[in-house]
Amino acid sequence: MSTQDLSQNRLGFVSLVGAGPGDPDLLTVKGHRVIQQAEVVVYDRLVSEEILALAAKDAEMIYVGKKLDYHCVPQDQINQLLVEKAKQGKNVVRLKGGDSFIFGRGGEELEELADNGIRFEVVPGITAAAGATAYAGIPLTHRDHAQSVQFITGHVQKDGREIEWRALAQSNNTLVFYMGLKQSGYIRDRLLETGLDENMSCAIIENGTRKEQRVFTGPLKDLAAMAKDAVSPSLIVVGNVTSLHDKLKWF
Ligand code: SAH
């Protein structure tokens, strides 16, 4: 290793790793390797025990998980923690559920690292929309049912600008709402108002890819009632593709 490499190493390094939606086997090979090599692992609530167990016995494990409306560690403190550990020369893994760039605030954390001149890499993960629907036998696109798919935050009112409901409400579009359980009544009302049929088929996938996975299906008009029976983490999927669940379910 050259002197330059050594001096760069002393600055530390952060791998932003997506752990996938639940089933630990859905971690990527690269994610697996960097977790094993980490000196510090900073992780969220949705990361499984099996994946955390891949870290070295002497790795420092730091939990910064969040629950809805309750932030264990505020985002700016998480950002600072990553910067601090990297500045100590540590090899840090920042581990998040699903994919870090899809409703995971991965971009914000990397901006902070970039501002502080810290080197990083991004290891993608299987996002809940891909993993949970695969395990529920719901193809996100299908020649007969959907020519497009959109991932939407259910925190519609909280997270900034109102979304363009009219653009979403197309019968050949699949809609996947993250964090949508509490807002399911609002989501249903906006979609009905802007053009979807009240009998458009929908699914809620609870604990997707985990042993406890449950899938609820029904018409859009019943979405809020379906959501009452589901617990977090759950995805709401709206679109004709959800009608394939009965035929294609396998898990
Ligand atoms: N970055 C993550 C999403 C974080 S937001 C990803 O790419 O998957 C958290 C939301 O993701 C939850 O409220 C839920 O809507 C969804 N989610 C995460 N894991 C899930 C799972 N196993 N089953 C269903 N939904 C899940």
Side-chain angles (χ1 to χ4, degrees):
M1 199 178 264
S2 70
T3 336
Q4 197 192 357
D5 285 340
L6 281 173
S7 70
Q8 276 184 355
N9 276 354
R10 274 200 296 275
L11 272 176
F13 187 77
V14 178
S15 296
L16 180 63
V17 179
D23 179 348
D25 281 357
L26 294 177
L27 180 69
T28 64
V29 174
K30 185 165 184 178
H32 188 144
R33 176 163 49 77
V34 298
I35 292 167
Q36 285 178 320
Q37 291 166 349
E39 294 165 286
V40 181
V41 177
V42 180
Y43 66 99
D44 281 351
R45 184 171 63 99
L46 290 172
V47 178
S48 69
E49 290 295 328
E50 290 94 329
I51 289 178
L52 295 173
L54 298 172
K57 291 282 163 289
D58 58 350
E60 187 185 356
M61 307 298 285
I62 306 175
Y63 175 70
V64 292
K66 294 173 210 154
K67 283 199 177 132
L68 189 66
D69 297 332
Y70 174 77
H71 288 215
C72 245
V73 179
Q75 187 64 44
D76 55 342
Q77 277 181 38
I78 299 176
N79 299 352
Q80 279 317 309
L81 177 70
L82 296 174
V83 168
E84 196 182 299
K85 293 292 173 186
K87 282 192 169 162
Q88 290 166 8
K90 297 282 169 57
N91 193 6
V92 183
V93 161
R94 172 68 175 113
L95 193 55
K96 290 166 178 281
D99 181 84
S100 310
F101 278 0
I102 298 192
F103 306 126
R105 306 188 75 165
E108 293 164 52
E109 293 178 15
L110 292 191
E111 281 186 79
E112 190 73 21
L113 297 176
D115 289 344
N116 282 276
I118 289 157
R119 293 181 310 141
F120 55 80
E121 68 179 356
V122 183
V123 181
I126 294 183
T127 191
T133 56
Y135 277 48
I138 297 173
L140 288 174
T141 68
H142 185 293
R143 283 164 65 99
D144 298 335
H145 302 290
Q147 277 64 49
S148 57
V149 53
Q150 278 168 301
F151 299 166
I152 306 133
T153 170
H155 281 183
V156 273
Q157 290 134 315
K158 230 169 80 182
D159 288 354
R161 286 181 52 192
E162 181 60 75
I163 47 186
E164 289 285 347
W165 292 96
R166 215 165 286 281
L168 300 183
Q170 310 293 328
S171 62
N172 66 341
N173 189 20
T174 303
L175 305 176
V176 185
F177 290 92
Y178 288 69
M179 302 170 280
L181 277 187
K182 282 195 168 171
Q183 299 288 332
S184 56
Y186 181 79
I187 291 169
R188 174 204 57 203
D189 292 346
R190 295 290 84 69
L191 291 174
L192 291 178
E193 206 174 82
T194 48
L196 281 192
D197 191 276
E198 61 173 18
N199 289 315
M200 170 61 84
S201 125
C202 297
I204 295 179
I205 310 170
E206 174 194 280
N207 277 308
T209 80
R210 303 197 176 128
K211 288 188 294 288
E212 318 85 89
Q213 173 176 295
R214 293 197 298 169
V215 183
F216 307 84
T217 54
L220 179 57
K221 61 176 184 227
D222 294 345
L223 185 64
M226 283 157 63
K228 281 212 180 73
D229 294 326
V231 298
S232 181
S234 283
L235 277 184
I236 295 175
V237 187
V238 179
N240 287 318
V241 290
T242 57
S243 64
L244 290 162
H245 164 71
D246 272 341
K247 191 172 177 187
L248 302 183
K249 60 175 178 258
W250 59 271
F251 179 60

